[in-house]
Amino acid sequence: MRDETVAIHGGYRPDTTRAVAVPIYQTVAHDFIDHEHAGQLFDLEIPGFHYNRVNNPTCDVLEQRLSILEGGVGAVAVSSGMAAVSMSVLNLLDAGDNLVAAPQLYGATYTYFVHVLPRLGIEVRFPPDDRTDSIESLIDARTKAVFCETVGNPAGNVLDLQRVAEVSHAQGVPLIVDNTVPTPLLLKPFEHGADVVVHSLTKFIGGHGTTMGGIIIEGGRFDWGAHPQRFASLIEPEPAFHEVRYTTDFAANPYITRVRTVGLRNTGAALSPFNAFLLIQGLESLSVRLPRHEANARAVAQHLVGHPAVAWVSFLGFADNPYYELAQRYLGDRVPSIITFGVRGGRDAGIDVFNGVELFKRLVNMGDAKSLIAHPASTTHRQLRPAELQSAGITPDMVRLSIGLEHPDDLIEDLDQALASASAGR
């Protein structure tokens, strides 16, 4: 099936009720047939459900559907995008290990990497930029993964995924990517060498600003068993799950099986069935929402380019964007509906625009049906020092727009009045 069809039908076969919509299985647990059945479920010897912190039928449809869309071999849905980021790396890294990460990251991810993981004894190494050779130079024998965003939020940079995957794999290291901004309908990282994909489902996939969720998906191509010292947790007996050997006992999807049985089972970051239902509703309309998002973004970006109060505009649809060629290579002729621009007058002028809008919603989210505005330096990346902001691609005057589904003329009029007000106050 093609993506548009998978987004509506993938991973679901009606049960005896023949319900057309995916049912909400709002239950804590599922009744065992007998002791033998319970044991088989706990050992993952047969498919099924037992306790909803580990798996749930509604969540299972969401997991299957997104795994099919990304081309993966299995997925685990979790309570938020940050839970997905956290669990994706902790599934591999122990104290004394390191993670190499491109510096252009969502603010909470950057903060987690800089301030939380080091307290667990895990070093996160940031190159000065997102060039492949800069990333490669930081990989060593204790590196367990390379992490990047396929399209940076809010920097708007595009990683050369294939090259980064090649240099990572050459040193026996998997590539974990956050594909939240483009979604699998614009970019499929597994086709370019990525090994694990994470999403904040809260954004474009949910699409309506109502529901938090995240997901981790395994690509199924990385040979974990070829690196026994680096990935002993996947190869040696697992004490947290009755001594199974993931690469042996779950050879098709060892990484994601460990995420579920060790990560999700023991940390409890479970996605509620009701949230899974809402995210499925959003996913069903994703293929028709994205073109409208993009068309509106192109109109708004083009208007901002000629505005006298705007110093610069960064939009992947513009040929003069430094990442335009990479965007063409990995996204084709499609682009995400994220725009950043600088306001003449610097940080204070950018904040004035943020304060001055009337239709745009002042949120740090993105991917909503409603258009959203953020001033990253004072909101999403507020905790970063000036040098860290520069490394993350954040300037003091930067305003980030997530363009929604309204009429573009209304969005332009709202920005015009906010820019005029900001200019008048200078």
Side-chain angles (χ1 to χ4, degrees):
M1 292 188 291
R2 292 161 180 81
D3 285 354
E4 295 85 349
T5 307
V6 171
I8 296 172
H9 297 284
Y12 177 61
R13 291 182 179 276
D15 59 16
T16 54
T17 68
R18 301 189 63 78
V20 174
V22 178
I24 303 171
Y25 287 87
Q26 194 66 43
T27 179
V28 169
H30 302 261
D31 186 27
F32 302 122
I33 297 171
D34 53 28
H35 176 269
E36 182 180 2
H37 179 238
Q40 289 175 321
L41 287 173
F42 273 102
D43 291 347
L44 306 185
E45 292 176 356
I46 59 173
F49 307 94
H50 49 88
Y51 195 65
N52 281 223
R53 192 179 69 247
V54 179
N55 59 359
N56 170 275
T58 312
C59 297
D60 181 67
V61 173
L62 179 66
E63 291 166 349
Q64 289 191 55
R65 197 163 290 184
L66 280 162
S67 184
I68 295 168
L69 283 171
E70 285 286 15
V73 295
V76 170
V78 291
S79 57
S80 71
M82 281 309 303
V85 170
S86 173
M87 213 173 292
S88 72
V89 298
L90 291 180
N91 196 46
L92 297 176
L93 280 78
D94 299 312
D97 295 332
N98 70 72
L99 173 74
V100 175
Q104 297 95 334
L105 296 172
Y106 169 61
T109 304
Y110 190 95
T111 301
Y112 178 72
F113 285 176
V114 171
H115 298 291
V116 179
L117 286 181
R119 297 184 65 181
L120 304 179
I122 296 169
E123 177 190 7
V124 181
R125 299 176 171 181
F126 292 99
D129 51 55
D130 61 2
R131 293 184 302 151
T132 302
D133 56 350
S134 299
I135 294 171
E136 182 182 20
S137 68
L138 297 182
I139 299 173
D140 66 14
R142 293 308 300 266
T143 304
K144 290 287 185 67
V146 170
F147 186 100
C148 68
E149 295 179 2
T150 53
V151 175
N153 169 32
N157 61 308
V158 180
L159 266 288
D160 191 343
L161 289 179
Q162 185 171 336
R163 288 286 298 125
V164 174
E166 288 171 354
V167 300
S168 301
H169 295 163
Q171 299 194 53
V173 174
L175 175 61
I176 303 174
V177 301
D178 185 331
N179 199 35
T180 297
V181 173
T183 81
L185 296 193
L186 268 61
L187 174 61
K188 298 183 187 298
F190 293 141
E191 294 180 356
H192 305 287
D195 302 294
V196 176
V197 169
V198 300
H199 286 273
S200 172
L201 303 178
T202 313
K203 312 300 193 301
F204 286 101
I205 287 174
H208 297 85
T210 62
T211 313
M212 297 189 74
I215 199 161
I216 310 161
I217 307 168
E218 180 179 1
R221 297 187 182 93
F222 191 84
D223 188 356
W224 308 99
H227 312 282
Q229 291 185 322
R230 185 172 259 136
F231 301 113
S233 62
L234 293 173
I235 298 167
E236 298 300 319
E238 173 56 67
F241 198 68
H242 49 259
E243 306 298 317
V244 302
R245 297 174 182 263
Y246 288 99
T247 54
T248 301
D249 299 333
F250 302 99
N253 52 7
Y255 171 92
I256 204 66
T257 304
R258 189 174 191 273
V259 168
R260 187 180 302 280
T261 57
V262 176
L264 183 60
R265 179 172 180 260
N266 296 302
T267 65
L271 181 69
S272 83
F274 184 69
N275 280 17
F277 172 82
L278 292 176
L279 292 167
I280 289 169
Q281 300 304 297
L283 181 57
E284 288 185 354
S285 67
L286 182 64
S287 65
V288 294
R289 284 188 285 112
L290 287 181
R292 177 60 179 262
H293 279 295
E294 181 180 347
N296 281 357
R298 288 185 183 275
V300 171
Q302 192 61 56
H303 177 77
L304 289 173
V305 167
H307 200 289
V310 173
W312 55 268
V313 178
S314 178
F315 178 60
L316 285 176
F318 290 162
D320 62 352
N321 187 291
Y323 292 97
Y324 181 76
E325 290 186 6
L326 283 171
Q328 290 283 297
R329 185 187 313 171
Y330 290 110
L331 301 172
D333 60 355
R334 302 287 302 281
V335 293
S337 54
I338 305 299
I339 303 167
T340 56
F341 66 96
V343 184
R344 296 191 189 279
R347 178 187 173 95
D348 289 344
I351 292 174
D352 286 345
V353 171
F354 175 75
N355 289 338
V357 294
E358 298 173 355
L359 180 59
F360 278 80
K361 301 302 180 184
R362 287 176 284 271
L363 300 180
V364 297
N365 193 24
M366 64 176 181
D368 199 312
K370 297 170 286 295
S371 290
L372 314 176
I373 188 170
H375 181 257
S378 64
T379 57
T380 56
H381 294 69
R382 186 182 184 90
Q383 294 81 12
L384 274 62
R385 293 181 286 270
E388 294 173 327
L389 286 170
Q390 183 177 5
S391 178
I394 310 297
T395 60
D397 63 342
M398 177 189 285
V399 172
R400 186 201 71 183
L401 304 177
S402 173
I403 302 299
L405 305 180
E406 303 93 342
H407 194 288
D409 290 349
D410 293 324
L411 301 175
I412 289 169
E413 289 171 6
D414 190 31
L415 289 170
D416 278 349
Q417 67 81 24
L419 286 162
S421 178
S423 297
R426 295 297 99 204

